[in-house]
Amino acid sequence: MAAFLSTYGYLIVSMLLGSLLGLSVYLPLMTGQLSLATPGFYALGGYVAAVLSTKIIPFEGMWFPLPWLLVEIVIAGLISGILAVILGIPVLRLRGIYLAIATIAFVEILRVLSLNLEITGGAVGIFAIPQPFGNALGYLWIVVPLLILVGVLIWRLENTKVGRAFNAIREDELAANAMGINPTYYKVLSFVLGAILAGIVGAIAAHFLNTWNARQGTFDASITYLAFVLIGGSRSFLGPILGGILLTALPEVLRGLGDARLIFFGLLLVLGTIFYPQGLITPELLRRWIPAKLRAKI
Amino acid sequence: MDLTLFFQQLLNGLSIGSVYAIFALGYTLVFSILGIINFAHGAIFTLGAYFTYLFAGGQFGFNGLLANAQLPFALPFWLALIVGCMLAGSVSVILELLAFRPLRKRGADSLLSLVSSLGAAVVIVNSIQALAGAEIYTFPANIYGNLPESVNFGSADNPILIRTVQIIIFCVSTVIVALLTYGMTQTKMGKAIQAVAEDGTTASLLGINTEQVIRITFFVSGCLAGLAGTLVGSSVSIAGPYFGITYGLKGLGVIVLGGLGNIPGAVVGGLLIGVAEAFIPGEYSGYKEAIAFALLFGMLILRPQGLFGKKTIQKV
C-alpha cells in the first residue's frame, strides 16, 4: 500500500485536482452557461501563488509554511472572483455560443499577457516554487479536505433558494425571469463561484507542479476540463468529480497507446456526446443506486 | 509613421486579412445554416495544407508513421491545391455525417455539437501528428512559378516592397470571395443555402433537399479552410499539426466582428483583423496574437450582433 501510494501519489493528487477543475466548469453549467474560462482563472491563481511565494513572502527553512499557502489560496480566490465579476457582468448578458466564444477570447488574452509580461516570467514562466510538503502525497492534506468541502457545498447548494434558482435558469431562462428570478444575478454568481474555485486550484497546483507558465491556461486545457464534466455527467456534482478522476488517469492507463492516446481522447468526446449525452452519471443512475432518503438531496 | 511604411503595412495586412476572410467564410457558412460553430474548422485548415503538400510531391519527415513517405508522382502546385481543397472538403462532409448529423437528428443542444466538433478536431490534429510527425514543412520556393521575390509598388528611391506570395494570396482570395458571392446570390444552390439558413423547415417544405444543402455547405466550408491553410503554408510554412488551432481561434474573432453567419461581415472582419495585426508596432509584437481576441471581446460587449449582423429578438 505504501509503495503504491508513493509511486502513484503524484497521479492521485492530479486526479483530485482534475475533479476540482471539473467542478469549476460545472458551477456555471448549473445555470446552463457554457464557460470555457476555467483555465484562465486557474492560470491566474497559479501565477498569484507563484509570484507571492517566490518573490514576496519571506520564509526560512526548507518547507514553505502552510499558513502562507492558505493566505495565497485566499488571495488567488479573491482576485479570480473579482475579475470574474468584472468579466461576467457584461459577458453573461449574452447567451449560448457567445459566452463560450467570449471565454475562449478571455483565456487567449490572459495567455498572451502572461507570455509577455515580466512579472509572469514571460515564455519561460516561474521556476522553483517552494514546496510545503516533502512529497506529492502531502498535498492530499490540502486537496482532500478542499474536495470534500466543495462537494458538500455544491450538494447542499442544490437544495437552497440559490440552487433552485440556478436550476430554473438552466431549464428555461425566460420562464425563470418571469417568475421573478434575476437571471443575470444568478448567472454571474455561478460564474464567479466557478472562477474562485479555479483560482484556488491554480494556487495549489502551482506549488504542486513546482513551475508555472503560460501553457497552464490554453484552449486545449479548456477542452480537457469541459470533457471532465461532459464525460462524467453534467446533471450532478458527482459527474465532474468522476470525470476528473477518470480522464486524468486515462492517459496513464493508455500509456501503451503512445501518441494515439489523444486520438482516443478525441474519439471519446465525439462518441460520448453522441451516445451518452448525459455522461456517465445520469439522473436515472442516481435514482437506481441511491436510497430515496438521500436522493432528494442529490 | 511615414507613408511608405504605412502602405507596406497596409498591403501586408490586407494580404493576411484576406486569408482570414476566406477561412472565416467557411465558419460563417456553417453557422448560418446550422447555428453551430464547427470547431474542427481549424483542423481542416491544417489538413488541407498537408494534403496539398503531399500532392505537390512533398516528402514527410522521419518522425511519423508515414516516415519519409512520398507520392510516386508530383502534381503541379495549382492542381495539388485543387486536389488538397477537395479532399479537405470531403473530410469536412465526413465530419458532418459522423459528428454533427447524429446530434442534429436527435435535436440535441447546440452546445453538444460544439463539444463533438472539438473532439473531432482533437482526432484530426493528433492523427496528423501520428502520421506525419510534428515537423515544420515548407513548400519549395518556386511553386508559383519563377517570380521575383518581391514587387516594388513605390519608386526606386522610395521602395514599397511587397512579397510576391502576399500579392498572389490577396488575388486568389479576392477571386474566391467574388466567386462565392456570385455562387451564393446567383445560383440555385446558393439560393437554396440561403433558404435553409433562413428557415430549414420551411425550405424543406418548399422542396429543398435540406440534408444535401447541408452537406454541400460543409464541403464548400472545408474547401475554403483547406485553401486558406495551403495559402498560409505557401507564404510561411506548415508549422506542424497544431498550426490551424490559432487560425481556428482567430477565425472566431473574425466572424464575431462581422456578425455570426454574415458573409460580407466575415470578409470585412478578416481584413480588419489582418490590418490591425499588421499595424502593431514592432516592440509590442508579442501582443499581436491577442489583437483578434481583444477586438472580439470589445465587439461582444458593445455590439454582440457584430458589425453587419441584425439584432435578434428572443421569441418564446
Side-chain angles (χ1 to χ4, degrees), chain A residues 70-123:
Chain A
L70 296 178
V71 170
E72 281 177 9
I73 287 176
V74 172
I75 296 176
L78 270 179
I79 293 182
S80 300
I82 293 168
L83 185 61
V85 173
I86 299 169
L87 180 72
I89 291 173
V91 161
L92 285 161
R93 294 175 310 156
L94 308 166
R95 281 159 206 256
I97 204 85
Y98 282 105
L99 178 67
I101 295 176
T103 49
I104 290 174
F106 165 73
V107 172
E108 284 297 304
I109 291 172
L110 275 191
R111 187 179 66 86
V112 174
L113 281 179
S114 61
L115 274 175
N116 286 286
L117 292 177
E118 207 170 310
I119 189 165
T120 54

Side-chain angles (χ1 to χ4, degrees), chain A residues 272-278, chain B residues 34-36 99-114 116:
Chain A
T273 41
I274 292 174
F275 295 109
Y276 296 96
Q278 293 192 310
Chain B
L34 293 180
I36 54 171
F100 291 105
R101 196 163 179 274
L103 289 171
R104 195 167 63 244
K105 287 289 138 200
R106 208 180 55 217
D109 193 334
S110 66
L111 293 180
L112 278 180
S113 41
L114 189 152
S116 125

